[in-house]
Coordinates of all heavy atoms in Angstrom, one line a residue:
F291 N 0.5 3.7 -3.0 CA -0.8 4.1 -3.4 C -0.9 5.6 -3.2 O -0.4 6.3 -2.3 CB -1.9 3.5 -2.7 CG -2.1 2.0 -3.1 CD1 -1.3 1.3 -3.9 CD2 -3.2 1.3 -2.5 CE1 -1.4 0.1 -4.2 CE2 -3.4 0.1 -2.8 CZ -2.5 -0.6 -3.7
A292 N -1.7 6.4 -4.1 CA -2.0 7.8 -3.9 C -3.2 7.8 -3.0 O -4.2 7.1 -3.2 CB -2.3 8.5 -5.2
Q293 N -3.3 8.7 -2.0 CA -4.4 8.8 -1.2 C -5.6 9.5 -1.9 O -5.4 10.3 -2.8 CB -4.0 9.6 0.1 CG -3.2 8.8 1.0 CD -2.8 9.6 2.2 OE1 -2.7 10.8 2.1 NE2 -2.5 9.0 3.4
I294 N -6.8 9.2 -1.4 CA -7.9 9.8 -2.0 C -8.0 11.2 -1.7 O -8.4 12.1 -2.5 CB -9.2 9.1 -1.5 CG1 -9.3 7.6 -2.0 CG2 -10.5 9.8 -1.8 CD1 -10.4 6.8 -1.5
Y295 N -7.4 11.7 -0.6 CA -7.4 13.1 -0.2 C -6.0 13.5 -0.1 O -5.1 12.7 0.2 CB -8.2 13.3 1.1 CG -7.6 12.7 2.3 CD1 -6.4 13.2 3.0 CD2 -8.2 11.5 2.7 CE1 -5.9 12.5 4.1 CE2 -7.5 10.8 3.9 CZ -6.5 11.4 4.5 OH -6.0 10.7 5.5
P296 N -5.7 14.8 -0.3 CA -4.3 15.3 -0.1 C -3.9 15.2 1.4 O -4.5 15.8 2.3 CB -4.3 16.8 -0.5 CG -5.6 16.9 -1.3 CD -6.5 15.9 -0.7
H297 N -2.8 14.4 1.7 CA -2.5 14.2 3.0 C -1.6 15.3 3.6 O -1.0 16.1 2.8 CB -1.7 12.9 3.2 CG -0.3 12.8 2.7 ND1 0.0 12.5 1.4 CD2 0.9 13.2 3.3 CE1 1.3 12.5 1.3 NE2 1.8 13.0 2.3
K298 N -1.5 15.5 4.8 CA -0.6 16.4 5.5 C 0.4 15.7 6.3 O 0.3 14.5 6.5 CB -1.5 17.3 6.5 CG -2.5 18.1 5.8 CD -3.3 18.9 6.8 CE -4.4 19.8 6.1 NZ -5.2 20.6 7.0
P299 N 1.6 16.4 6.5 CA 2.7 15.7 7.2 C 2.4 15.5 8.7 O 3.1 16.0 9.6 CB 3.9 16.6 7.0 CG 3.2 18.0 6.9 CD 2.0 17.7 6.1
V300 N 1.4 14.6 9.0 CA 1.0 14.4 10.3 C 0.9 12.8 10.5 O 0.4 12.1 9.5 CB -0.4 14.9 10.6 CG1 -1.0 14.5 12.0 CG2 -0.4 16.4 10.5
T301 N 1.4 12.3 11.6 CA 1.2 10.9 11.9 C 0.1 10.8 13.0 O 0.2 11.4 14.0 CB 2.6 10.3 12.5 OG1 3.5 10.4 11.4 CG2 2.4 8.9 12.8
A302 N -0.9 9.9 12.8 CA -2.0 9.7 13.7 C -1.7 8.4 14.6 O -1.3 7.3 14.1 CB -3.3 9.5 13.0
L303 N -1.9 8.6 15.8 CA -1.6 7.6 16.9 C -2.8 7.3 17.6 O -3.4 8.2 18.3 CB -0.4 8.1 17.8 CG 0.8 8.6 17.2 CD1 1.8 9.0 18.2 CD2 1.4 7.7 16.2
L304 N -3.4 6.1 17.5 CA -4.6 5.7 18.1 C -4.5 4.7 19.2 O -3.6 3.8 19.0 CB -5.6 5.3 17.0 CG -6.2 6.3 16.1 CD1 -5.2 6.9 15.2 CD2 -7.3 5.6 15.2
G305 N -5.4 4.7 20.2 CA -5.5 3.6 21.2 C -6.9 3.6 21.7 O -7.7 4.8 21.5
A306 N -7.4 2.5 22.1 CA -8.8 2.5 22.4 C -9.1 3.0 23.8 O -10.2 3.4 24.1 CB -9.3 1.0 22.3
M307 N -8.2 2.9 24.8 CA -8.4 3.2 26.2 C -7.3 4.3 26.6 O -6.3 4.5 26.0 CB -8.3 2.0 27.1 CG -9.2 0.9 26.6 SD -9.2 -0.5 27.8 CE -7.6 -1.1 27.6
D308 N -7.6 4.8 27.7 CA -6.7 5.9 28.3 C -5.3 5.3 28.6 O -4.3 6.0 28.2 CB -7.2 6.5 29.6 CG -8.4 7.4 29.4 OD1 -8.4 8.2 28.5 OD2 -9.4 7.3 30.2
E309 N -5.2 4.2 29.1 CA -3.9 3.6 29.4 C -3.1 3.3 28.1 O -1.8 3.4 28.2 CB -4.2 2.1 30.1 CG -4.8 2.2 31.4 CD -6.3 2.0 31.3 OE1 -6.9 2.3 30.3 OE2 -6.9 1.6 32.4
E310 N -3.7 3.2 27.1 CA -3.0 2.9 25.8 C -2.4 4.1 25.1 O -1.5 4.0 24.3 CB -4.0 2.2 24.8 CG -4.4 0.8 25.3 CD -5.5 0.1 24.5 OE1 -6.3 0.9 23.9 OE2 -5.6 -1.1 24.3
I311 N -3.0 5.3 25.4 CA -2.4 6.5 24.9 C -1.7 7.4 25.9 O -1.2 8.6 25.6 CB -3.5 7.3 24.1 CG1 -4.6 7.8 25.1 CG2 -4.1 6.5 23.0 CD1 -5.5 8.9 24.4
E312 N -1.7 7.0 27.2 CA -1.1 7.8 28.3 C 0.3 8.2 28.0 O 0.7 9.3 28.1 CB -1.3 7.0 29.6 CG -0.7 7.8 30.8 CD -0.9 7.0 32.1 OE1 -1.5 5.9 32.1 OE2 -0.3 7.5 33.1
L313 N 1.2 7.2 27.6 CA 2.6 7.5 27.4 C 2.7 8.4 26.1 O 3.6 9.3 26.2 CB 3.3 6.2 27.0 CG 4.8 6.3 26.8 CD1 5.5 7.1 27.9 CD2 5.4 5.0 26.4

Side-chain angles (χ1 to χ4, degrees):
F291 288 5
Q293 291 180 327
I294 290 175
Y295 64 81
H297 75 268
K298 296 179 180 179
V300 175
T301 299
L303 312 178
L304 287 66
M307 301 185 297
D308 286 319
E309 295 92 341
E310 295 172 330
I311 65 167
E312 181 179 353
L313 179 62

